[in-house]
Amino acid sequence: MTTPTTDDRPGLIEARPVRHPGRWVALAVIIVLVAMLISSFITNERWGFSKALEIMNQKPVLEGLWKGTIVGTIGSMAIGIVGGVIIAILRLSHNPVLRGVSFVYTWFFRGIPRLVLLAMIGSGVGFLYANLDFGIPFGKQLASLMGLSSDFTFFTLDVNQFSSSLLAGIIGLGLSEAAYMAEIARAGILSVDKGQNEAAAALGMNRGQSMRRIVLPQAMRVIVPPTGNETIAMVKDTSLLSAIPIITELFYQTRAIGTRTLQIMPSFVAVTAWYLLVGSVLMVGQYFLERRFGRGFGTGAPNKRFARPAGAGGA
Amino acid sequence: MSDTTTSEPTSEPTSGPATGTDARSRTGEDQPLVRALNVLKSFHGNEVLKGIDLDVHRGEVVCLLGPSGSGKTTFLRCINQLEEIDGGRIWVDGDLVGFRDDGGQLHHLTDKQVATQRREIGMVFQRFNLFPHMTALQNVMEAPVQVRRVGKKQARARALELLEQVGLGDKPNAYPAQLSGGQQQRVAIARALAMDPKLMLFDEPTSALDPELVGEVLRVMRELADQGMTMIVVTHEMGFARDVADHVVFMDGGVVVEQGKPKDVISNPQHERTQSFLKRMRAEDDEAAADAESLETPDA
Ligand SMILES: Nc1ncnc2c1ncn2[C@@H]1O[C@H](COP(=O)(O)OP(=O)(O)OP(=O)(O)O)[C@@H](O)[C@H]1O
Ligand SMILES: [Mg+2]
């Protein structure tokens, strides 16, 4: 082997990049396909984009978007995430009764379709329990046993009225979501090294503190990405609220307008556009959340580890 | 039994330079800070600790030596209840560890009581176990703020002081992933010290480190010993054990084979198992030294 002398020390590198002819071919094919699609948008009147834009901005549609889709998603995901974390913690508890409760919950709510669940909440529950009394368990029976006039009921809920409200729908979707979130949260909690729990315990932290301060923040790194997917799925599942039936709901309203005005295709375009828009906003939000919970897990700036938002290039 | 070997927990006291106490009586205030009596522990029928007796006095540094699998880690973990013992008793500062003795009938302590006992004992792990989502400063502040309910400002000042003490005064805002192994372990030591423990447990604190980083961690531990901290250190660093320990305990197969002053146990071991272990350690050290030398003088 010969070692170069100090006289001919190599300088800056000016190497030719590797060529990727395949990329250019793919690009050409895609350009042709997109051009064909755009041309069909322009030439085929039946798409009705301007009509679609009109429908998107109609008041009932906007109301359905706000109440059904946006409020519905936020509400049900809030219930789903909090409920899911609680169920996951129960599932990992040392108490066999709590573990059992968590298992049965997940088994039930994962087992039934959301459409069926919502339809059941909408009509079935009100039929079974016309009024819900909040008081002491078995208060009525106790009162009659003891011959008291009070029946230990503090307030009464009219279930028939409640069960067709948006809140009932949100609770229904939230309860169902909690079952899925529980699995995600459980995977997240289990992904945290058990040395973390031990270090927290050795410092004198109790199990709650260790979970809240040490384990869950780290589990978030694993929990956030699939939760983003769940949220986007929930945006779409709010269209099931019409099963309750709740009619201030995006898909119900657009379709109603479409049928009434015979603008079927534009109404589909309108609703698709709204769902895509909401989904895109969520993807950007997810990107920032992932960055936030990735703190301390890269050696450099935390954001380097994470991919660009999935929607950034395509939307 | 030779004179350095004894299974009697109240063995001859060692003259720790830190404490300066030579004699102690069985009665009175000079009770040991840690007393383990006949500690038994099995994992699924596999008996790992077969009756460990050990006394550690205030200000003493005790080094636990022994081959892999001899139960050193398990014993340390029993002291701060990361493992529950099956038999025997451990007292720390006069309190029975993990149980309440009600006229001979033992009752398990509640989670809260266990947490209270653990506050007084600091632990440093082989793999550091820093909280990766927190900066060095936040790691050190966490327990005082959450557990002792110290004010944030005060905890912060104390944490900065401790980071300074372990030589990391310039890195309070670094996340663990941005620190070298040696730096991480020093943060871990500061984190444990932040709770003002009576006792510090070290489980092979330097064995996950690159050789050139071992020294900085041992230096911090030496300083801690000089300040009079009571320490139980599981280590393979013979130099540290010889220079810093007041008392050396050699474990093998879940029993204490030999214990005494470092110069007796390390330089003049009586028991055959101790001798062969130390010979092996020395051979490894020589090998490492030879490796280091060959690295320093690479052939051109
Ligand atoms: N959680 C556990 N479950 C089952 N067996 C265990 C567990 N922890 C330790 N053991 C076993 O107990 C024995 C002693 O382990 P321990 O970790 O205490 O040894 P050690 O002396 O610390 O060894 P090393 O020097 O390798 O760290 C080993 O045989 C190990 O396999
Ligand atoms: Mg060990």
Side-chain angles (χ1 to χ4, degrees), chain A:
Chain A
M1 262 232 321
T2 57
T3 349
T5 62
T6 40
D7 295 340
D8 42 53
R9 275 148 48 92
L12 289 179
I13 292 174
E14 280 171 42
R16 297 251 165 96
V18 176
R19 299 196 185 283
H20 298 284
R23 289 185 192 171
W24 295 103
V25 175
L27 187 66
V29 171
I30 301 273
I31 287 177
V32 170
L33 288 177
V34 170
M36 284 165 69
L37 193 66
I38 291 175
S39 127
S40 100
F41 284 167
I42 297 168
T43 52
N44 190 340
E45 292 285 304
R46 287 190 205 170
W47 277 106
F49 286 106
S50 56
K51 287 278 182 328
L53 205 62
E54 262 169 47
I55 295 176
M56 279 177 78
N57 283 306
Q58 294 217 0
K59 199 162 166 272
V61 173
L62 290 176
E63 198 190 347
L65 170 75
W66 172 245
K67 283 194 187 159
T69 312
I70 295 176
V71 174
T73 303
I74 294 172
S76 53
M77 283 311 293
I79 296 173
I81 290 168
V82 173
V85 169
I86 292 171
I87 292 162
I89 291 172
L90 296 186
R91 188 70 180 274
L92 298 169
S93 134
H94 293 314
N95 181 333
V97 178
L98 297 181
R99 275 206 306 271
V101 167
S102 156
F103 175 80
V104 171
Y105 183 97
T106 311
W107 166 79
F108 180 79
F109 281 102
R110 277 212 304 193
I112 49 173
R114 282 185 181 166
L115 186 64
V116 175
L117 177 69
L118 291 177
M120 205 155 71
I121 289 175
S123 47
V125 176
F127 169 74
L128 283 174
Y129 307 100
N131 290 303
L132 261 190
D133 296 333
F134 290 85
I136 290 173
F138 299 105
K140 280 190 182 123
Q141 288 86 333
L142 266 176
S144 68
L145 210 72
M146 297 189 290
L148 295 176
S149 59
S150 161
D151 61 0
F152 299 110
T153 300
F154 305 131
F155 81 99
T156 299
L157 180 77
D158 180 346
V159 175
N160 265 322
Q161 206 182 1
F162 170 77
S163 67
S164 58
S165 68
L166 177 62
L167 185 59
I170 287 175
I171 290 175
L173 285 176
L175 291 179
S176 161
E177 183 59 35
Y180 293 90
M181 281 306 305
E183 290 301 298
I184 292 172
R186 190 167 76 109
I189 291 169
L190 290 177
S191 77
V192 177
D193 180 46
K194 85 180 196 335
Q196 292 288 309
N197 250 325
E198 292 185 347
L203 288 166
M205 296 173 88
N206 60 38
R207 285 159 60 81
Q209 286 170 327
S210 157
M211 180 59 79
R212 196 164 41 82
R213 300 281 312 171
I214 308 302
V215 177
L216 278 182
Q218 293 181 59
M220 280 304 188
R221 225 170 101 256
V222 173
I223 292 175
V224 166
T227 303
N229 291 340
E230 289 294 308
T231 309
I232 290 164
M234 183 59 82
V235 168
K236 297 176 287 181
D237 278 358
T238 54
S239 59
L240 299 174
L241 286 173
S242 54
I244 282 251
I246 293 164
I247 59 167
T248 50
E249 185 278 308
L250 181 60
F251 182 45
Y252 186 93
Q253 290 298 336
T254 26
R255 202 170 42 169
I257 291 173
T259 350
R260 200 166 59 236
T261 60
L262 296 178
Q263 303 283 355
I264 308 290
M265 204 52 220
S267 77
F268 282 127
V269 172
V271 76
T272 305
W274 268 129
Y275 281 125
L276 285 179
L277 270 171
V278 174
S280 309
V281 170
L282 286 175
M283 283 179 193
V284 174
Q286 180 177 5
Y287 165 71
F288 285 104
L289 269 181
E290 284 182 13
R291 215 166 68 156
R292 165 80 169 63
F293 287 107
R295 273 181 322 176
F297 285 93
T299 39
N303 52 354
K304 277 191 189 152
R305 273 178 51 92
F306 292 94
R308 261 167 264 120

Side-chain angles (χ1 to χ4, degrees), chain B residues 124 128 130 136 140 162-171 179-193 200 205 209 213-221:
Chain B
V124 174
F128 329 136
L130 286 181
V140 181
L162 285 166
L163 285 175
E164 192 70 50
Q165 183 185 331
V166 299
L168 289 169
D170 56 333
K171 296 244 186 265
L179 297 172
S180 75
Q183 291 171 329
Q184 288 187 56
Q185 193 60 299
R186 286 184 283 148
V187 174
I189 293 172
R191 178 177 70 175
L193 290 176
M200 286 283 284
L209 299 178
L213 302 178
V214 169
E216 62 191 50
V217 172
L218 292 183
R219 198 171 317 125
V220 168
M221 291 169 62

Side-chain angles (χ1 to χ4, degrees), chain B residues 191-228:
Chain B
R191 178 177 70 175
L193 290 176
M195 289 297 281
D196 292 317
K198 294 172 191 161
L199 168 71
M200 286 283 284
L201 308 174
F202 293 84
D203 186 12
E204 299 196 34
T206 58
S207 57
L209 299 178
D210 292 338
E212 74 270 20
L213 302 178
V214 169
E216 62 191 50
V217 172
L218 292 183
R219 198 171 317 125
V220 168
M221 291 169 62
R222 244 172 241 257
E223 283 167 15
L224 206 54
D226 289 343
Q227 288 164 19

Side-chain angles (χ1 to χ4, degrees), chain B:
Chain B
M1 231 182 250
S2 71
D3 32 31
T4 57
T5 306
T6 172
S7 56
E8 172 61 34
T10 51
S11 60
E12 271 307 295
T14 53
S15 51
T19 51
T21 51
D22 286 332
R24 82 194 140 77
S25 52
R26 273 163 169 258
T27 58
E29 72 274 5
D30 198 19
Q31 60 170 344
L33 181 65
V34 181
R35 164 164 290 185
L37 265 185
N38 194 30
V39 172
L40 302 171
K41 174 71 191 170
S42 312
F43 291 108
H44 323 289
N46 170 25
E47 211 178 9
V48 173
L49 300 181
K50 301 173 183 165
I52 302 287
D53 296 330
L54 181 73
D55 273 15
V56 180
H57 294 271
R58 274 165 231 277
E60 230 179 20
V61 176
V62 172
C63 280
L64 282 182
L65 312 179
S68 183
S70 55
K72 307 179 298 290
T73 298
T74 306
F75 180 61
L76 271 199
R77 290 166 60 85
C78 288
I79 296 176
N80 78 346
Q81 305 181 61
L82 292 175
E83 306 289 352
E84 190 183 301
I85 58 178
D86 302 327
R89 303 278 191 279
I90 300 175
W91 291 267
V92 173
D93 205 11
D95 290 333
L96 187 57
V97 166
F99 301 93
R100 181 168 55 80
D101 190 342
D102 190 7
Q105 175 62 55
L106 291 190
H107 299 266
H108 281 277
L109 293 184
T110 63
D111 288 352
K112 205 174 157 193
Q113 290 165 324
V114 170
T116 308
Q117 287 190 335
R118 281 178 178 146
R119 285 180 200 178
E120 311 298 326
I121 304 171
M123 181 143 188
V124 174
F125 299 87
Q126 188 173 357
R127 306 218 56 90
F128 329 136
N129 293 353
L130 286 181
F131 305 134
H133 58 302
M134 297 181 181
T135 62
L137 181 68
Q138 289 167 338
N139 265 278
V140 181
M141 284 172 63
E142 180 67 11
V145 171
Q146 297 296 324
V147 179
R148 290 226 194 269
R149 302 278 167 209
V150 174
K152 275 238 168 80
K153 224 170 156 184
Q154 195 187 338
R156 192 188 160 81
R158 172 90 174 111
L160 286 170
E161 219 176 275
L162 285 166
L163 285 175
E164 192 70 50
Q165 183 185 331
V166 299
L168 289 169
D170 56 333
K171 296 244 186 265
N173 296 321
Y175 284 97
Q178 297 164 327
L179 297 172
S180 75
Q183 291 171 329
Q184 288 187 56
Q185 193 60 299
R186 286 184 283 148
V187 174
I189 293 172
R191 178 177 70 175
L193 290 176
M195 289 297 281
D196 292 317
K198 294 172 191 161
L199 168 71
M200 286 283 284
L201 308 174
F202 293 84
D203 186 12
E204 299 196 34
T206 58
S207 57
L209 299 178
D210 292 338
E212 74 270 20
L213 302 178
V214 169
E216 62 191 50
V217 172
L218 292 183
R219 198 171 317 125
V220 168
M221 291 169 62
R222 244 172 241 257
E223 283 167 15
L224 206 54
D226 289 343
Q227 288 164 19
M229 175 62 76
T230 313
M231 298 161 55
I232 305 180
V233 184
V234 175
T235 187
H236 290 300
E237 297 292 331
M238 289 305 149
F240 179 84
R242 200 179 308 120
D243 300 346
V244 183
D246 300 300
H247 197 76
V248 169
V249 176
F250 177 73
M251 281 176 67
D252 194 5
V255 295
V256 173
V257 174
E258 185 164 350
Q259 60 175 310
K261 290 179 187 172
K263 66 173 175 2
D264 296 328
V265 177
I266 296 178
S267 312
N268 185 23
Q270 301 298 312
H271 205 285
E272 182 266 321
R273 277 197 278 180
T274 322
Q275 289 163 0
S276 73
F277 172 73
L278 289 169
K279 198 186 276 172
R280 235 179 14 251
M281 292 303 302
R282 233 165 264 140
E284 267 169 39
D285 276 358
D286 291 349
E287 228 167 77
D291 280 355
E293 230 160 76
S294 70
L295 277 178
E296 276 158 22
T297 54
D299 16 34

